[in-house]
Amino acid sequence: MSEPVVVETVEAMRAWSRMAMKAGRSVGFVPTMGALHAGHTSLMERARKENDAVVVSIYVNPTQFGIGEDFAKYPRSLDADRKLCGEAGVECIFAPKNLYETGACSFIEVGGLQEHLCGISRPGHFRGVATVVAKLFNIVEADRAYFGMKDAQQLVIIQTMVRDLNMSVTIVPCEIVREPDGLAMSSRNRYLSVTERKLALVVPRALDCFRAAIKNGERDAMKIVGEMANILAERDEVEIDYCAIVDAHTLEDVTKIKGDVLAAVAVKIGKTRLIDNARFEGL
Ligand code: AMP
């Protein structure tokens, strides 16, 4: 497998994409913040299967981090990332150095969706995400873009943005990839100490409890949320940000479980914030 080319400017990325387009090659795009793991490579592999060429962006986007969040210490590992991308058949890595113009003052807000779940404790986060993803879409001009269901709120916000602003890219949702013990893979898992890594298993356990309750026919959301919260609260070191069952499309809390629903959890363990979710459709 040949090494992917690394493109560092908006102009060079555009030129690469235009060449691919001119050659009649379809392009699959995987936006990331780097520190790549098997969750990311599953997106790349899917993109490889469904397109002639794959572009991965690696960019730790400052505008989606709030004050006091981990922007400065977010893991950066371009050499290892490049190797993983090569193994996954990625042709081009976009690691932009000039993404924001000085004085940039245009932003994308995606209505009420950004007010729920992570939007409450991370004000401005989804405005930063939607804006950078729109910019990347405009530069890369891919046919398809691949997003993990791990970031369920991000996914629904991007899908809504694409629909509302008539963007031509097709969004492809991809399954959550987990460690063998059930913890969802995340670049932030590398912040966890050995003890914290063990504590983090309360998150997949809480989601297992949700899945088991649904399979047993329970449809009272508050009852299940209570059981999930009890699992998360077993250890004082685990601080619950939210534990909710929401409509998968509106992200509004539900009382009676019906249709497409999402159990979504965010916790803080030490300084590390982890999110995860489980989904059922057509209940
Ligand atoms: P990030 O680098 O964390 O911004 O993630 C880039 C993309 O990878 C997003 O679409 C994420 O949802 C996706 N992703 C991250 N972790 C996982 C995972 N464990 N399984 C599937 N997709 C993931």
Short mmCIF file of all heavy atoms in Angstrom, two decimals, residues 135-181:
data_model
loop_
_atom_site.label_atom_id
_atom_site.label_comp_id
_atom_site.label_asym_id
_atom_site.label_seq_id
_atom_site.Cartn_x
_atom_site.Cartn_y
_atom_site.Cartn_z
N LYS A 135 -16.87 23.83 6.17
CA LYS A 135 -15.67 24.32 5.47
C LYS A 135 -14.96 23.15 4.79
O LYS A 135 -14.58 23.23 3.61
CB LYS A 135 -14.72 25.00 6.48
CG LYS A 135 -15.18 26.40 6.90
CD LYS A 135 -14.44 26.89 8.15
CE LYS A 135 -12.98 27.20 7.94
NZ LYS A 135 -12.70 28.35 7.06
N LEU A 136 -14.79 22.06 5.53
CA LEU A 136 -14.10 20.89 4.97
C LEU A 136 -14.87 20.32 3.77
O LEU A 136 -14.27 19.96 2.75
CB LEU A 136 -13.89 19.83 6.05
CG LEU A 136 -12.90 20.22 7.16
CD1 LEU A 136 -12.98 19.23 8.32
CD2 LEU A 136 -11.46 20.30 6.63
N PHE A 137 -16.20 20.28 3.89
CA PHE A 137 -17.01 19.79 2.76
C PHE A 137 -16.80 20.68 1.54
O PHE A 137 -16.68 20.19 0.41
CB PHE A 137 -18.50 19.78 3.12
CG PHE A 137 -18.94 18.65 4.02
CD1 PHE A 137 -20.24 18.59 4.50
CD2 PHE A 137 -18.07 17.62 4.38
CE1 PHE A 137 -20.67 17.54 5.33
CE2 PHE A 137 -18.48 16.57 5.21
CZ PHE A 137 -19.79 16.54 5.68
N ASN A 138 -16.75 21.98 1.74
CA ASN A 138 -16.57 22.92 0.61
C ASN A 138 -15.20 22.77 -0.03
O ASN A 138 -15.05 23.01 -1.23
CB ASN A 138 -16.73 24.36 1.09
CG ASN A 138 -18.18 24.72 1.30
OD1 ASN A 138 -19.07 24.10 0.73
ND2 ASN A 138 -18.43 25.72 2.14
N ILE A 139 -14.22 22.38 0.75
CA ILE A 139 -12.85 22.28 0.21
C ILE A 139 -12.64 20.92 -0.46
O ILE A 139 -12.11 20.83 -1.56
CB ILE A 139 -11.82 22.48 1.35
CG1 ILE A 139 -11.95 23.90 1.93
CG2 ILE A 139 -10.40 22.23 0.84
CD1 ILE A 139 -11.33 24.06 3.31
N VAL A 140 -13.08 19.86 0.22
CA VAL A 140 -12.79 18.50 -0.27
C VAL A 140 -13.75 18.09 -1.39
O VAL A 140 -13.38 17.34 -2.30
CB VAL A 140 -12.80 17.48 0.90
CG1 VAL A 140 -12.60 16.06 0.40
CG2 VAL A 140 -11.74 17.85 1.92
N GLU A 141 -14.98 18.60 -1.33
CA GLU A 141 -16.00 18.30 -2.36
C GLU A 141 -16.14 16.80 -2.62
O GLU A 141 -16.12 16.35 -3.77
CB GLU A 141 -15.68 19.04 -3.66
CG GLU A 141 -15.74 20.55 -3.50
CD GLU A 141 -15.53 21.28 -4.81
OE1 GLU A 141 -14.36 21.50 -5.18
OE2 GLU A 141 -16.53 21.59 -5.48
N ALA A 142 -16.25 16.05 -1.53
CA ALA A 142 -16.35 14.58 -1.65
C ALA A 142 -17.76 14.17 -2.08
O ALA A 142 -18.71 14.93 -1.94
CB ALA A 142 -16.02 13.96 -0.29
N ASP A 143 -17.85 12.94 -2.56
CA ASP A 143 -19.17 12.39 -2.88
C ASP A 143 -19.86 11.90 -1.61
O ASP A 143 -21.06 12.06 -1.45
CB ASP A 143 -19.00 11.20 -3.84
CG ASP A 143 -18.40 11.64 -5.16
OD1 ASP A 143 -19.17 12.10 -6.02
OD2 ASP A 143 -17.16 11.58 -5.29
N ARG A 144 -19.08 11.28 -0.73
CA ARG A 144 -19.64 10.73 0.51
C ARG A 144 -18.74 11.11 1.68
O ARG A 144 -17.52 11.17 1.52
CB ARG A 144 -19.73 9.19 0.45
CG ARG A 144 -20.64 8.70 -0.64
CD ARG A 144 -20.66 7.17 -0.75
NE ARG A 144 -21.31 6.84 -2.02
CZ ARG A 144 -20.68 6.81 -3.19
NH1 ARG A 144 -19.38 7.02 -3.26
NH2 ARG A 144 -21.36 6.56 -4.30
N ALA A 145 -19.36 11.32 2.86
CA ALA A 145 -18.57 11.60 4.06
C ALA A 145 -19.01 10.64 5.16
O ALA A 145 -20.22 10.38 5.33
CB ALA A 145 -18.75 13.04 4.52
N TYR A 146 -18.05 10.11 5.90
CA TYR A 146 -18.27 9.01 6.85
C TYR A 146 -18.14 9.53 8.28
O TYR A 146 -17.12 10.13 8.63
CB TYR A 146 -17.27 7.88 6.55
CG TYR A 146 -17.54 7.30 5.19
CD1 TYR A 146 -17.10 7.96 4.04
CD2 TYR A 146 -18.31 6.15 5.04
CE1 TYR A 146 -17.40 7.46 2.78
CE2 TYR A 146 -18.61 5.64 3.78
CZ TYR A 146 -18.16 6.31 2.66
OH TYR A 146 -18.47 5.82 1.41
N PHE A 147 -19.19 9.27 9.09
CA PHE A 147 -19.21 9.73 10.47
C PHE A 147 -19.59 8.57 11.39
O PHE A 147 -20.46 7.76 11.05
CB PHE A 147 -20.24 10.87 10.64
CG PHE A 147 -19.78 12.17 10.04
CD1 PHE A 147 -19.98 12.43 8.69
CD2 PHE A 147 -19.13 13.12 10.81
CE1 PHE A 147 -19.55 13.62 8.12
CE2 PHE A 147 -18.69 14.31 10.26
CZ PHE A 147 -18.90 14.56 8.91
N GLY A 148 -18.95 8.52 12.55
CA GLY A 148 -19.24 7.46 13.52
C GLY A 148 -20.49 7.77 14.33
O GLY A 148 -20.75 8.91 14.69
N MET A 149 -21.25 6.71 14.62
CA MET A 149 -22.44 6.88 15.47
C MET A 149 -22.06 7.11 16.92
O MET A 149 -22.90 7.41 17.74
CB MET A 149 -23.33 5.65 15.34
CG MET A 149 -23.87 5.46 13.96
SD MET A 149 -25.35 4.47 14.01
CE MET A 149 -24.99 3.21 12.87
N LYS A 150 -20.78 6.93 17.24
CA LYS A 150 -20.33 7.21 18.61
C LYS A 150 -20.67 8.64 18.99
O LYS A 150 -21.06 8.93 20.10
CB LYS A 150 -18.83 6.96 18.72
CG LYS A 150 -18.21 7.69 19.86
CD LYS A 150 -17.19 6.86 20.55
CE LYS A 150 -16.68 7.52 21.80
NZ LYS A 150 -16.31 8.92 21.58
N ASP A 151 -20.47 9.56 18.02
CA ASP A 151 -20.80 10.96 18.25
C ASP A 151 -22.20 11.20 17.67
O ASP A 151 -22.36 11.84 16.63
CB ASP A 151 -19.75 11.85 17.59
CG ASP A 151 -18.37 11.61 18.21
OD1 ASP A 151 -18.07 12.21 19.24
OD2 ASP A 151 -17.62 10.76 17.67
N ALA A 152 -23.20 10.65 18.35
CA ALA A 152 -24.55 10.59 17.78
C ALA A 152 -25.12 11.99 17.56
O ALA A 152 -25.78 12.24 16.55
CB ALA A 152 -25.45 9.79 18.71
N GLN A 153 -24.88 12.89 18.49
CA GLN A 153 -25.42 14.24 18.35
C GLN A 153 -24.73 14.96 17.17
O GLN A 153 -25.38 15.63 16.38
CB GLN A 153 -25.21 15.03 19.65
CG GLN A 153 -25.88 16.39 19.63
CD GLN A 153 -25.85 17.06 21.00
OE1 GLN A 153 -25.09 16.65 21.88
NE2 GLN A 153 -26.66 18.07 21.17
N GLN A 154 -23.44 14.79 17.07
CA GLN A 154 -22.69 15.38 15.95
C GLN A 154 -23.26 14.86 14.63
O GLN A 154 -23.49 15.63 13.69
CB GLN A 154 -21.22 15.00 16.07
CG GLN A 154 -20.39 15.26 14.84
CD GLN A 154 -18.92 15.01 15.11
OE1 GLN A 154 -18.27 15.79 15.78
NE2 GLN A 154 -18.39 13.92 14.59
N LEU A 155 -23.52 13.55 14.56
CA LEU A 155 -24.02 12.94 13.33
C LEU A 155 -25.36 13.55 12.92
O LEU A 155 -25.54 13.96 11.76
CB LEU A 155 -24.14 11.42 13.52
CG LEU A 155 -24.79 10.64 12.39
CD1 LEU A 155 -24.00 10.79 11.09
CD2 LEU A 155 -24.91 9.16 12.77
N VAL A 156 -26.29 13.67 13.86
CA VAL A 156 -27.62 14.18 13.50
C VAL A 156 -27.52 15.67 13.14
O VAL A 156 -28.21 16.16 12.23
CB VAL A 156 -28.68 13.85 14.59
CG1 VAL A 156 -28.51 14.61 15.85
CG2 VAL A 156 -30.08 14.08 14.07
N ILE A 157 -26.62 16.39 13.78
CA ILE A 157 -26.42 17.81 13.45
C ILE A 157 -25.85 17.96 12.04
O ILE A 157 -26.31 18.79 11.25
CB ILE A 157 -25.52 18.48 14.53
CG1 ILE A 157 -26.37 18.74 15.79
CG2 ILE A 157 -24.87 19.77 14.02
CD1 ILE A 157 -25.60 19.29 16.98
N ILE A 158 -24.89 17.12 11.69
CA ILE A 158 -24.30 17.19 10.34
C ILE A 158 -25.34 16.77 9.28
O ILE A 158 -25.47 17.42 8.24
CB ILE A 158 -23.03 16.31 10.23
CG1 ILE A 158 -21.95 16.77 11.22
CG2 ILE A 158 -22.49 16.26 8.81
CD1 ILE A 158 -21.47 18.19 11.04
N GLN A 159 -26.09 15.72 9.57
CA GLN A 159 -27.13 15.29 8.62
C GLN A 159 -28.14 16.42 8.39
O GLN A 159 -28.57 16.67 7.26
CB GLN A 159 -27.86 14.05 9.15
CG GLN A 159 -27.02 12.79 9.07
CD GLN A 159 -27.68 11.60 9.77
OE1 GLN A 159 -28.22 11.75 10.88
NE2 GLN A 159 -27.61 10.43 9.16
N THR A 160 -28.50 17.10 9.47
CA THR A 160 -29.49 18.18 9.37
C THR A 160 -28.90 19.37 8.60
O THR A 160 -29.57 19.97 7.75
CB THR A 160 -29.93 18.60 10.79
OG1 THR A 160 -30.41 17.44 11.45
CG2 THR A 160 -31.02 19.65 10.74
N MET A 161 -27.67 19.69 8.87
CA MET A 161 -27.00 20.79 8.15
C MET A 161 -26.97 20.50 6.64
O MET A 161 -27.30 21.38 5.83
CB MET A 161 -25.57 20.96 8.69
CG MET A 161 -24.74 21.93 7.90
SD MET A 161 -23.04 22.03 8.52
CE MET A 161 -22.29 20.64 7.69
N VAL A 162 -26.61 19.27 6.29
CA VAL A 162 -26.51 18.89 4.88
C VAL A 162 -27.88 18.98 4.20
O VAL A 162 -28.01 19.51 3.09
CB VAL A 162 -25.90 17.47 4.76
CG1 VAL A 162 -26.11 16.87 3.38
CG2 VAL A 162 -24.42 17.52 5.10
N ARG A 163 -28.90 18.53 4.93
CA ARG A 163 -30.27 18.62 4.38
C ARG A 163 -30.70 20.07 4.22
O ARG A 163 -31.15 20.50 3.17
CB ARG A 163 -31.22 17.87 5.34
CG ARG A 163 -32.66 17.85 4.88
CD ARG A 163 -33.61 17.54 6.03
NE ARG A 163 -33.67 18.64 6.99
CZ ARG A 163 -34.27 18.58 8.17
NH1 ARG A 163 -34.81 17.45 8.57
NH2 ARG A 163 -34.31 19.63 8.97
N ASP A 164 -30.53 20.85 5.30
CA ASP A 164 -31.06 22.22 5.30
C ASP A 164 -30.32 23.15 4.35
O ASP A 164 -30.92 24.08 3.81
CB ASP A 164 -30.98 22.82 6.72
CG ASP A 164 -31.93 22.12 7.68
OD1 ASP A 164 -32.75 21.29 7.21
OD2 ASP A 164 -31.86 22.40 8.89
N LEU A 165 -29.04 22.92 4.15
CA LEU A 165 -28.25 23.82 3.30
C LEU A 165 -27.99 23.22 1.92
O LEU A 165 -27.17 23.73 1.17
CB LEU A 165 -26.93 24.18 3.99
CG LEU A 165 -27.08 24.89 5.35
CD1 LEU A 165 -25.71 25.26 5.93
CD2 LEU A 165 -27.94 26.14 5.24
N ASN A 166 -28.73 22.15 1.59
CA ASN A 166 -28.64 21.53 0.25
C ASN A 166 -27.21 21.20 -0.15
O ASN A 166 -26.80 21.42 -1.30
CB ASN A 166 -29.27 22.45 -0.81
CG ASN A 166 -30.69 22.80 -0.46
OD1 ASN A 166 -30.96 23.87 0.09
ND2 ASN A 166 -31.59 21.89 -0.73
N MET A 167 -26.44 20.69 0.80
CA MET A 167 -25.08 20.28 0.45
C MET A 167 -25.17 18.97 -0.33
O MET A 167 -26.06 18.17 -0.08
CB MET A 167 -24.27 20.09 1.73
CG MET A 167 -24.08 21.40 2.48
SD MET A 167 -23.16 21.12 4.01
CE MET A 167 -22.83 22.80 4.50
N SER A 168 -24.26 18.78 -1.29
CA SER A 168 -24.45 17.63 -2.18
C SER A 168 -23.79 16.35 -1.67
O SER A 168 -23.96 15.29 -2.24
CB SER A 168 -23.94 17.97 -3.58
OG SER A 168 -22.57 18.27 -3.50
N VAL A 169 -23.04 16.43 -0.59
CA VAL A 169 -22.37 15.23 -0.07
C VAL A 169 -23.40 14.28 0.58
O VAL A 169 -24.39 14.74 1.15
CB VAL A 169 -21.29 15.67 0.96
CG1 VAL A 169 -21.89 16.35 2.16
CG2 VAL A 169 -20.40 14.52 1.37
N THR A 170 -23.16 12.99 0.46
CA THR A 170 -24.00 11.99 1.14
C THR A 170 -23.34 11.59 2.45
O THR A 170 -22.16 11.20 2.46
CB THR A 170 -24.16 10.73 0.25
OG1 THR A 170 -24.78 11.12 -0.96
CG2 THR A 170 -24.98 9.65 0.92
N ILE A 171 -24.09 11.69 3.55
CA ILE A 171 -23.53 11.33 4.85
C ILE A 171 -23.76 9.85 5.12
O ILE A 171 -24.90 9.36 5.01
CB ILE A 171 -24.20 12.17 5.98
CG1 ILE A 171 -24.03 13.66 5.71
CG2 ILE A 171 -23.64 11.78 7.35
CD1 ILE A 171 -22.59 14.14 5.63
N VAL A 172 -22.69 9.15 5.46
CA VAL A 172 -22.78 7.71 5.73
C VAL A 172 -22.49 7.45 7.22
O VAL A 172 -21.35 7.63 7.67
CB VAL A 172 -21.78 6.91 4.86
CG1 VAL A 172 -21.94 5.41 5.10
CG2 VAL A 172 -21.94 7.26 3.38
N PRO A 173 -23.53 7.08 7.99
CA PRO A 173 -23.30 6.78 9.41
C PRO A 173 -22.63 5.42 9.57
O PRO A 173 -22.96 4.48 8.85
CB PRO A 173 -24.72 6.72 10.00
CG PRO A 173 -25.64 7.24 8.93
CD PRO A 173 -24.95 6.99 7.63
N CYS A 174 -21.68 5.32 10.49
CA CYS A 174 -20.94 4.06 10.69
C CYS A 174 -21.05 3.60 12.14
O CYS A 174 -21.05 4.42 13.07
CB CYS A 174 -19.47 4.26 10.34
SG CYS A 174 -19.20 4.82 8.65
N GLU A 175 -21.11 2.27 12.30
CA GLU A 175 -21.27 1.65 13.64
C GLU A 175 -20.15 2.03 14.60
O GLU A 175 -19.02 2.28 14.17
CB GLU A 175 -21.27 0.12 13.50
CG GLU A 175 -22.47 -0.46 12.79
CD GLU A 175 -23.77 -0.24 13.55
OE1 GLU A 175 -23.73 -0.16 14.79
OE2 GLU A 175 -24.82 -0.13 12.88
N ILE A 176 -20.45 1.98 15.89
CA ILE A 176 -19.46 2.26 16.93
C ILE A 176 -18.50 1.06 17.06
O ILE A 176 -18.96 -0.08 17.15
CB ILE A 176 -20.14 2.50 18.30
CG1 ILE A 176 -21.13 3.66 18.22
CG2 ILE A 176 -19.09 2.73 19.40
CD1 ILE A 176 -21.93 3.89 19.49
N VAL A 177 -17.21 1.34 17.06
CA VAL A 177 -16.22 0.27 17.28
C VAL A 177 -15.81 0.31 18.75
O VAL A 177 -15.52 1.37 19.31
CB VAL A 177 -14.99 0.46 16.37
CG1 VAL A 177 -13.94 -0.60 16.64
CG2 VAL A 177 -15.41 0.43 14.91
N ARG A 178 -15.79 -0.87 19.38
CA ARG A 178 -15.52 -0.97 20.82
C ARG A 178 -14.29 -1.81 21.10
O ARG A 178 -13.92 -2.67 20.31
CB ARG A 178 -16.74 -1.60 21.53
CG ARG A 178 -17.98 -0.77 21.39
CD ARG A 178 -19.21 -1.39 22.03
NE ARG A 178 -20.31 -0.44 21.86
CZ ARG A 178 -20.48 0.63 22.60
NH1 ARG A 178 -19.68 0.86 23.63
NH2 ARG A 178 -21.46 1.48 22.36
N GLU A 179 -13.70 -1.58 22.26
CA GLU A 179 -12.64 -2.46 22.76
C GLU A 179 -13.30 -3.80 23.13
O GLU A 179 -14.52 -3.85 23.33
CB GLU A 179 -12.02 -1.85 24.04
CG GLU A 179 -11.42 -0.48 23.85
CD GLU A 179 -10.06 -0.53 23.14
OE1 GLU A 179 -9.58 -1.63 22.84
OE2 GLU A 179 -9.51 0.56 22.91
N PRO A 180 -12.49 -4.87 23.25
CA PRO A 180 -13.09 -6.18 23.58
C PRO A 180 -13.95 -6.15 24.85
O PRO A 180 -14.94 -6.88 24.96
CB PRO A 180 -11.88 -7.09 23.76
CG PRO A 180 -10.80 -6.45 22.95
CD PRO A 180 -11.05 -4.98 22.98
N ASP A 181 -13.61 -5.28 25.81
CA ASP A 181 -14.42 -5.23 27.05
C ASP A 181 -15.60 -4.27 26.94
O ASP A 181 -16.30 -4.03 27.93
CB ASP A 181 -13.54 -4.88 28.26
CG ASP A 181 -12.89 -3.50 28.15
OD1 ASP A 181 -13.22 -2.77 27.19
OD2 ASP A 181 -12.07 -3.17 29.01
#
